[in-house]
């Protein structure tokens, strides 16, 4: 602590606040709150800052945008469309682009920030998944995250439909086609959403209030909760030297982390400004006003909707009529792709922490995260799901693929129909093997040391490469590995491993399945120290936490 | 493994200073082989002050960045005043000037702060204790007791009349917002899903004549004799409804002319005067306009999800996710030689919906009866 006094204006303000709020106690606890450092912890921040930029640019856009489907004749300054009938929404979007200074920049930045928002959430979610950072006590924050992602997709969809150009209308038409396919309620849902038949005159103003008020309001609330929980529970940290489940090692909030976060916000903002300036996005004036009678070839949604688009394209033409002429039409060719992939992915994400806890029986708090290789089944499941998503996403652009690669359009679909099932399975096996390979490499480094590049000739003429022990940081990072827990009594477990008689809870059919899954999912596949230490003069050290080499 | 007792002796300077993946020397404050802390650390443990030369350099670089950000910020304001908008070119110029100055300002500011943090501020390796999230047993039992005590004091447990009427009071209020949403829907419900089954093609014009097919965009009626380009495709809308989007979403057609020998059994020849066939343009999958036509194969392709229809054979599905053919509209030539609709589509056009049912079977039955 330095002995200098706090400058008067700051002291005055802060004692004003402290007198009224007791802010001093909060500050005392939190000014030097420690934040651990790792590049992957920055991914979620991209999403957070993009959201702030979305609020800023979006507010600007609302000052000029007219969310109305009233038919007007365009008389603005973009010559090719002058005298053409269009909705007031599209006309005002053109006005923002051509007649408001900075309007085009804000529009493009808003769109880029939206893409970065969703992309940032996705990579952040993958980071959290693959490192197991969702484990107890962070399951609630994980659920908030899943909800945020779902809402972000909805927010994107409603925003994308607002300019009412030909491309946005195509998206809206597909949305309608999907909604009306829902059994029993589909027609009613669309009639209520559109205020009657498609497209009606209400949908843009309704989407507008969803897009600028309801969904962002919920997003803001959930993001705040997400931050508060992160703050209260303290951030997880990577395994490493001096880092345990009972501490946090890193830089203090004030001043270092605060400044870094500020800089990172500016970087995100700057990159979005760069994209908004030089990378044209959604040039609505080229598409023309929406009419349900027209479409432009190569229509593509924003990237985060691509997997739904791909699923729709892949699906064979199945449709059933339950009651013959009496109704009961179920267009499976729309319903399955619209609901199943999204449902699988979102439900899977939401349930994963709880299913994993059920399978491993692991009820401890975790603050040191896993390296992805050290939980090979989790990593493989994640990569498998990513592959499933990725195949659908790629097939969402199968027309572009067939155009660029000069292959038959139909064959891209046929291949996709097979790949969507086969590729995740292959990805699973390959990832699992890679994880074990990486674990073996870690074991080799712990057991034999690091190749030093120094070649030595022994007296009898043999050449060997000298291995040196890894640096303390690397070694501590690797020794952060612990076996994936298994239920007690499932054989290779880390628990009481006594073996033959399973506990009562695991005797029923579900219990037996649970025990089997637990044994397969958990356990130590490749122990770090398996007695390969010959020739190096250091004894193998046990894998348990307690046996970690002392620091210092 | 902190000791380094190799049985192979090696010259110290040959030991590589860094291995791929090793955190940099400066960042961690430890050497590759030893645990010595970086020299020159300050009194506070975990706070390693920068040496003055680095800090001084960092200050200069950061100041340069901030100055750049200042100038770029000024440039942004100047660009706003200097570059007017009003057409494509000037909007592009304004966008470039505003955007690039904003970009430079933000990135320079960000870089300056990063330099400040990395070169002027100390290197930190602070350690803070974590505490289990769960409260201790005493707190838990206190909360539990207090909760029960409060509930008992309030009387909610003892007085079922109070409890039940309170729940009863809340229920309708909870439903009220849902009830309020009812008027989101259309006002008349009588003909509600039926609306999807009908288009204006089935209605006569105000003058009582059959409705003409007109070209989308120009609104010109189509003389059968003039539409004489085999392989051509024309986008067609109903006369009088050229700008009615609700109607266009159901009634838009594509018009294709065939040589008689090209038509197969799926196409109703009675509805194809001079080999001119009209299909609904609205894809039966999710409603995109099926706007692409390949004249050698007679395939109609929807660009959204690539449902492909054979135009020569009743627009039956040959590929893709659409489950049903594009409905064919019965057309004829009126007294003046123009194409007109003689009746509505035999089945509802556009995407499937629950109430649709097996409309094809219905249409076949109707066809047999007449």
């Amino acid at each position: 602590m330095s002995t200098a006094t706090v400058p008067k204006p700051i002291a005055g303000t802060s004692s004003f606040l402290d007198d009224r709020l007791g802010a001093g106690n909060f500050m005392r606890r939190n000014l030097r709150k420690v934040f651990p450092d790792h590049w992957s912890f920055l991914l979620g921040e991209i999403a957070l800052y993009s959201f702030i930029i979305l609020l800023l640019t979006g507010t600007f856009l609302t000052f000029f945008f007219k969310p109305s489907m009233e038919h007007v004749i365009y008389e603005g300054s973009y010559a090719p469309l002058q005298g053409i009938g269009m909705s007031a929404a599209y006309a005002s979007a053109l006005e923002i682009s051509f007649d408001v200074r900075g309007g085009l920049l804000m529009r493009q930045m808003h769109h880029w920030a939206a893409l970065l928002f969703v992309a940032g959430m996705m990579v952040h979610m993958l980071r959290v998944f693959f490192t197991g950072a969702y484990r107890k006590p962070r399951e609630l924050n994980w659920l908030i995250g899943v909800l945020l992602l779902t809402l972000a997709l909805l927010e994107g969809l409603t925003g994308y439909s607002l300019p009412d150009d030909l491309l946005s209308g195509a998206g809206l038409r597909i949305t309608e086609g999907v909604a009306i396919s829902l059994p029993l309620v589909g027609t009613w849902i669309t009639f209520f959403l559109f205020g009657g038949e498609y497209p009606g005159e209400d949908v843009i103003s309704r989407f507008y209030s969803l897009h600028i008020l309801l969904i962002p309001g919920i997003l803001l609330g959930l993001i705040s909760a997400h931050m508060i929980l992160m703050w209260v529970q303290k951030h997880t940290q990577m395994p490493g030297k001096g880092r345990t489940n009972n501490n946090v090692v890193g830089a203090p909030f004030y001043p270092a982390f605060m400044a870094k976060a500020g800089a990172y916000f500016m970087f995100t903002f700057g990159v979005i400004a760069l994209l908004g300036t030089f990378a044209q996005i959604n040039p609505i004036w080229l598409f023309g006003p929406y009419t349900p009678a027209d479409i432009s070839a190569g229509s593509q949604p924003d990237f985060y909707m691509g997997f739904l688009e791909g699923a729709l394209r892949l699906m064979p033409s199945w449709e059933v009529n339950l009651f013959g002429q009496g109704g009961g039409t179920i267009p499976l060719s729309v319903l399955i792709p619209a609901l199943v992939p999204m449902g699988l992915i979102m439900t899977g994400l939401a349930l994963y922490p709880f299913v994993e806890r059920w399978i491993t029986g692991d009820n401890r708090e975790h603050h040191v995260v896993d390296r992805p290789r050290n939980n090979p089944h989790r990593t493989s499941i994640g990569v498998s799901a990513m592959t499933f998503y990725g195949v659908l996403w790629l097939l969402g652009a199968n027309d572009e693929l067939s155009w660029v690669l000069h292959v038959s359009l139909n064959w891209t679909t046929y291949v996709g129909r097979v790949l969507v099932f086969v590729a995740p399975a292959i990805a699973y096996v390959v990832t699992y093997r890679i994880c074990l390979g990486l674990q073996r490499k870690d074991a080799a480094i712990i057991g034999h040391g690091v190749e030093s590049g120094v070649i030595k000739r022994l007296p009898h003429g043999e050449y060997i490469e000298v291995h040196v022990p890894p640096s303390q940081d690397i070694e501590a990072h690797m020794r952060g590995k612990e076996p994936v827990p298994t239920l007690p009594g499932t054989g290779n477990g880390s628990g009481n491993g006594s073996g033959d008689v399973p506990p009562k809870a695991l005797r029923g059919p579900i219990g037996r399945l649970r025990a089997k899954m637990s044994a397969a999912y958990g356990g130590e596949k490749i122990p770090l120290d398996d007695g390969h230490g010959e020739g190096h003069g250091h004894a193998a050290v046990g894998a348990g936490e307690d046996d970690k080499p002392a620091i210092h | 493994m902190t000791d380094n007792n190799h049985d192979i002796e090696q010259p110290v300077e040959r030991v590589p200073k860094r291995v791929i993946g090793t955190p940099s020397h400066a960042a961690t404050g430890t050497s590759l082989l030893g645990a010595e802390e970086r020299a020159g650390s300050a009194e506070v443990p975990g706070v390693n002050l920068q040496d003055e030369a680095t800090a001084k350099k960092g200050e200069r670089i950061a100041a340069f960045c901030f100055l750049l950000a200042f100038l770029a910020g000024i440039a942004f304001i100047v660009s706003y005043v200097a570059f007017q908008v009003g057409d494509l070119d000037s909007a592009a110029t304004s966008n470039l000037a505003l955007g690039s100055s904003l970009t430079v300002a933000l990135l320079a500011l960000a870089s300056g702060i990063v330099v400040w943090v990395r070169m002027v501020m100390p290197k930190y390796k602070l350690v803070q204790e974590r505490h289990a999230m769960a409260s201790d047993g005493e707190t838990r039992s206190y909360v539990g007791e207090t909760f029960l005590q409060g509930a008992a004091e309030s009387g909610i447990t003892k007085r079922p009349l109070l409890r039940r009427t309170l729940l009863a009071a809340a229920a309708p209020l909870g439903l009220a917002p849902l009830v309020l949403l009812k008027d989101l829907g259309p006002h008349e419900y009588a003909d509600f899903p039926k609306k999807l089954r009908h288009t204006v093609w089935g209605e006569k014009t105000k003058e009582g004549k059959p409705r003409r097919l007109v070209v989308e965009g120009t609104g010109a009626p189509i003389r059968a004799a003039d539409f004489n380009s085999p392989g051509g495709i024309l986008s067609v809308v109903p006369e009088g409804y050229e700008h009615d989007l609700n109607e266009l979403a159901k009634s838009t057609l594509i018009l294709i002319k065939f040589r008689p020998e090209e038509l197969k059994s799926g196409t109703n020849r009675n509805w194809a005067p001079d080999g001119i066939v009209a299909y609904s343009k609205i894809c039966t999958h999710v409603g995109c306009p099926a706007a692409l036509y390949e004249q050698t194969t007679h395939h109609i392709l929807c660009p959204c999800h690539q449902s492909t229809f054979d135009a020569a054979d009743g627009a039956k599905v040959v590929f893709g996710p659409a489950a049903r053919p594009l409905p064919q509209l019965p057309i004829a030539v009126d007294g003046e030689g123009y194409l007109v609709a003689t009746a509505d589509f035999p089945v509802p056009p556009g995407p499937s919906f629950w109430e649709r049912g097996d409309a094809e079977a219905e249409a076949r039955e109707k066809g047999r009866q007449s």
Side-chain angles (χ1 to χ4, degrees):
Chain A
M1 286 288 145
S2 65
T3 48
T5 49
V6 179
K8 214 169 178 191
I10 296 176
T13 320
S14 49
S15 53
F16 177 90
L17 289 175
D18 190 39
D19 289 348
R20 283 153 185 84
L21 303 170
N25 287 325
F26 179 79
M27 289 296 187
R28 183 192 171 132
R29 269 183 284 124
N30 288 305
L31 269 182
R32 296 294 257 189
K33 189 179 184 68
V34 167
F35 280 82
D37 217 359
H38 189 263
W39 65 266
S40 69
F41 299 166
L42 300 176
L43 299 171
E45 283 184 62
I46 297 178
L48 176 68
Y49 302 141
S50 301
F51 182 70
I52 298 172
I53 295 159
L54 282 168
L55 291 184
L56 295 174
T57 52
T59 305
F60 178 87
L61 294 176
T62 59
F63 294 151
F64 301 97
F65 181 68
K66 295 184 184 66
S68 155
M69 296 174 88
E70 186 197 345
H71 192 79
V72 297
I73 303 295
Y74 181 67
E75 281 159 359
S77 56
Y78 181 60
L81 289 176
Q82 278 162 2
I84 291 187
M86 58 179 65
S87 69
Y90 183 54
S92 71
L94 290 173
E95 192 203 329
I96 291 172
S97 306
F98 295 116
D99 302 302
V100 175
R101 279 175 286 176
L104 182 60
L105 183 65
M106 291 298 133
R107 245 198 68 228
Q108 302 207 111
M109 281 176 67
H110 193 71
H111 204 134
W112 275 115
L115 298 187
L116 219 57
F117 178 51
V118 183
M121 289 172 103
M122 285 176 169
V123 286
H124 169 63
M125 185 198 71
L126 291 176
R127 191 278 293 177
V128 171
F129 180 84
F130 284 119
T131 60
Y134 54 77
R135 288 173 298 173
K136 189 181 172 185
R138 296 186 176 75
E139 301 99 324
L140 293 177
N141 230 11
W142 171 257
L143 286 181
I144 292 178
V146 175
L147 215 55
L148 280 171
L149 183 61
T150 316
L151 282 172
L153 297 185
L154 212 61
E155 177 72 350
L157 180 77
T158 49
Y160 190 70
S161 305
L162 292 181
D164 205 24
D165 57 275
L166 192 57
L167 188 60
S168 96
L172 196 58
R173 178 85 220 211
I174 295 171
T175 310
E176 186 257 0
V178 168
I180 206 170
S181 76
L182 294 170
L184 206 59
V185 291
T187 321
W188 291 84
I189 285 180
T190 50
F191 272 54
F192 273 77
L193 180 62
F194 294 91
E197 281 191 281
Y198 176 86
E201 297 209 319
D202 297 322
V203 68
I204 293 223
S205 53
R206 288 176 185 179
F207 270 20
Y208 185 66
S209 72
L210 293 179
H211 181 76
I212 71 155
L213 181 68
L214 187 66
I215 304 175
I218 302 173
L219 280 175
L220 190 61
L222 287 176
I223 288 173
S224 309
H226 205 67
M227 295 290 102
I228 290 170
L229 284 186
M230 183 272 291
W231 190 281
V232 168
Q233 295 178 329
K234 299 197 172 85
H235 206 283
T236 51
Q237 56 191 350
M238 278 286 171
K241 193 182 145 203
R243 298 179 193 158
T244 71
N245 244 332
N246 301 315
N247 70 7
V248 199
V249 181
F253 179 70
Y254 174 80
F257 186 76
M258 218 167 143
K260 275 198 263 187
Y264 199 37
F265 173 56
M266 291 301 161
F267 265 126
T268 313
F269 208 161
V271 167
I272 287 172
L274 185 77
L275 288 166
T277 310
F278 295 102
Q280 186 183 69
I281 189 162
N282 205 17
I284 49 164
W285 57 91
L286 297 180
F287 306 139
Y290 177 60
T291 150
D294 285 318
I295 188 146
S296 55
S299 296
Q300 290 285 333
D302 277 345
F303 87 91
Y304 44 82
M305 285 292 165
F307 78 108
L308 288 175
E309 177 82 359
L312 279 171
R313 292 179 182 199
L314 270 193
M315 189 67 195
S317 54
W318 298 347
E319 179 167 315
V320 292
N321 287 301
L322 291 185
F323 315 124
Q325 297 174 25
T329 304
I330 303 182
L332 295 170
S333 61
V334 184
L335 267 187
I336 290 177
L339 300 182
V340 172
M342 179 100 165
L344 275 180
I345 290 169
M346 291 301 179
T347 320
L349 285 173
L351 292 182
Y352 199 86
F354 304 99
V355 173
E356 186 182 63
R357 198 157 60 100
W358 185 70
I359 289 178
T360 59
D362 184 5
N363 209 21
R364 296 167 301 166
E365 280 192 14
H366 291 276
H367 301 290
V368 176
V369 295
D370 287 332
R371 298 170 78 206
R373 68 188 64 175
N374 289 338
N375 193 331
H377 278 294
R378 176 204 291 148
T379 305
S380 306
I381 289 170
V383 173
S384 189
M386 276 171 71
T387 313
F388 174 69
Y389 180 95
V391 169
L392 292 180
W393 185 79
L394 263 182
L395 266 291
N398 69 336
D399 45 352
E400 304 284 342
L401 284 181
S402 99
W403 172 257
V404 173
L405 303 176
H406 302 284
V407 290
S408 146
L409 182 69
N410 298 8
W411 273 102
T412 60
T413 305
Y414 295 138
V415 171
R417 282 174 187 171
V418 176
L419 272 187
V420 78
F421 295 107
V422 173
I426 295 175
Y428 193 99
V429 175
V430 170
T431 312
Y432 191 76
R433 288 292 135 199
I434 290 175
C435 285
L436 292 197
L438 289 171
Q439 284 194 29
R440 276 194 195 96
K441 185 178 154 233
D442 288 353
I445 288 175
I446 295 290
H448 300 276
V450 182
E451 293 169 1
S452 65
V454 177
I455 305 294
K456 183 162 176 160
R457 187 177 161 190
L458 297 181
H460 57 276
E462 182 191 353
Y463 286 92
I464 59 158
E465 182 172 8
V466 176
H467 281 60
V468 296
S471 76
Q472 283 191 339
D473 289 287
I474 296 266
E475 189 181 349
H477 188 51
M478 288 175 178
R479 286 197 182 279
K481 174 185 184 184
E482 55 177 58
V484 181
T486 51
L487 291 168
T490 48
N492 59 356
S494 58
N496 58 14
S498 54
D500 298 327
V501 184
K504 214 170 184 182
L506 300 181
R507 282 181 213 156
I510 292 177
R512 277 203 299 277
L513 177 70
R514 185 181 170 197
K516 221 173 237 170
M517 288 201 294
S518 186
Y521 188 85
E524 183 68 295
K525 315 285 184 212
I526 314 283
L528 266 187
D529 300 281
D530 53 357
H532 279 303
E534 77 279 355
H536 286 280
H538 57 82
V541 187
E545 280 273 319
D546 302 336
D547 296 329
K548 268 190 175 178
I551 287 107
H552 302 303
Chain B
M1 200 169 309
T2 49
D3 55 341
N4 187 19
N5 55 344
H6 281 270
D7 52 355
I8 305 156
E9 96 188 68
Q10 45 181 280
V12 175
E13 69 272 17
R14 298 287 305 275
V15 174
K17 286 286 178 266
R18 290 193 62 188
V19 182
I20 294 169
T22 315
S24 83
H25 198 253
T28 60
T30 60
S31 80
L32 182 69
L33 301 174
E36 350 128 37
E37 285 299 323
R38 193 176 142 86
S41 65
E43 313 90 66
V44 188
V47 181
N48 296 339
L49 295 179
Q50 302 280 359
D51 63 74
E52 187 50 32
T54 316
K56 193 79 199 158
K57 196 173 157 201
E59 184 185 5
R60 273 193 230 110
I61 299 175
F64 170 76
C65 291
F66 292 154
L67 207 62
L68 188 64
F70 169 76
L71 293 175
I74 301 277
F76 181 85
I77 297 169
V78 170
S79 311
Y80 188 85
V81 179
F83 296 101
Q84 297 299 319
V85 291
D87 57 69
L88 189 58
D89 289 332
S90 61
T93 311
S94 160
N95 187 59
L96 188 67
L98 288 171
S100 47
S101 53
L102 183 64
T103 306
V104 171
L106 292 167
L107 291 182
L109 187 53
S111 311
I113 301 175
V114 167
V115 170
W116 176 23
V117 174
R118 297 187 75 92
M119 295 179 74
V120 181
M121 286 190 199
K123 302 281 176 220
Y124 291 100
K125 203 171 182 187
L126 296 181
V127 180
Q128 224 166 36
E129 291 300 305
R130 271 183 208 277
H131 308 284
M133 295 311 300
S135 334
D136 55 51
E138 194 202 338
T139 310
R140 282 191 182 199
S141 55
Y142 172 78
V143 171
E145 282 160 24
T146 314
F147 175 76
L148 291 177
Q149 186 191 342
E153 284 166 4
S154 73
I156 193 108
T157 45
K158 273 184 291 193
R159 301 181 192 282
L161 181 65
L162 184 80
R163 192 170 63 232
R164 285 168 199 162
T165 47
L166 179 66
L167 286 176
L173 285 176
L175 280 176
L178 285 179
V179 172
L180 272 179
L181 291 179
K182 200 206 131 212
D183 276 354
L184 281 176
H187 291 289
E188 70 283 9
Y189 290 92
D191 57 348
F192 173 67
K194 277 197 202 112
K195 270 194 155 175
L196 294 171
R197 307 185 99 84
H198 300 292
T199 68
V200 288
W201 291 122
E203 299 165 15
K204 301 252 192 274
T205 58
K206 271 179 238 154
E207 296 83 34
K209 292 187 207 155
R211 197 170 294 280
R212 278 179 179 163
L213 280 64
V214 300
V215 179
E216 188 209 343
T218 66
I222 303 153
R223 199 183 282 277
D226 294 346
F227 185 62
N228 200 12
S229 53
I233 178 177
L234 196 62
S235 190
V236 167
V237 295
E239 177 189 14
Y241 288 85
E242 294 87 348
H243 300 293
D244 183 329
L245 297 190
N246 283 15
E247 201 48 54
L248 294 186
K250 296 191 290 190
S251 305
T252 310
L253 304 174
I254 42 180
L255 210 57
I256 304 170
K257 171 132 180 159
F258 289 97
R259 283 188 293 274
E261 71 274 14
E262 288 171 333
L263 284 175
K264 293 179 196 151
S265 61
T267 308
N268 189 331
R269 284 163 193 266
N270 298 332
W271 299 345
D274 300 341
I276 300 173
V277 186
Y279 293 114
S280 164
K281 193 182 182 182
I282 309 303
C283 184
T284 53
H285 178 222
V286 286
C288 287
L292 302 179
Y293 183 62
E294 194 178 49
Q295 70 179 64
T296 47
T297 54
H298 307 303
H299 284 177
I300 303 167
L301 181 86
C302 175
C304 284
H305 306 105
Q306 286 112 36
S307 296
T308 311
F309 307 90
D310 185 354
D313 196 7
K316 71 168 188 199
V317 182
V318 290
F319 182 76
R324 292 175 290 99
L326 300 169
Q328 187 186 349
L329 185 76
I331 55 171
V333 181
D334 70 3
E336 295 169 59
Y338 291 110
L339 291 175
V340 292
T342 55
D344 205 344
F345 290 109
V347 296
S352 300
F353 50 96
W354 175 258
E355 294 85 354
R356 186 181 185 279
D358 195 352
E360 280 71 17
E362 205 173 329
R364 275 195 300 274
E365 266 173 35
K366 222 179 262 174
R368 269 198 295 275
Q369 284 160 11
S370 59

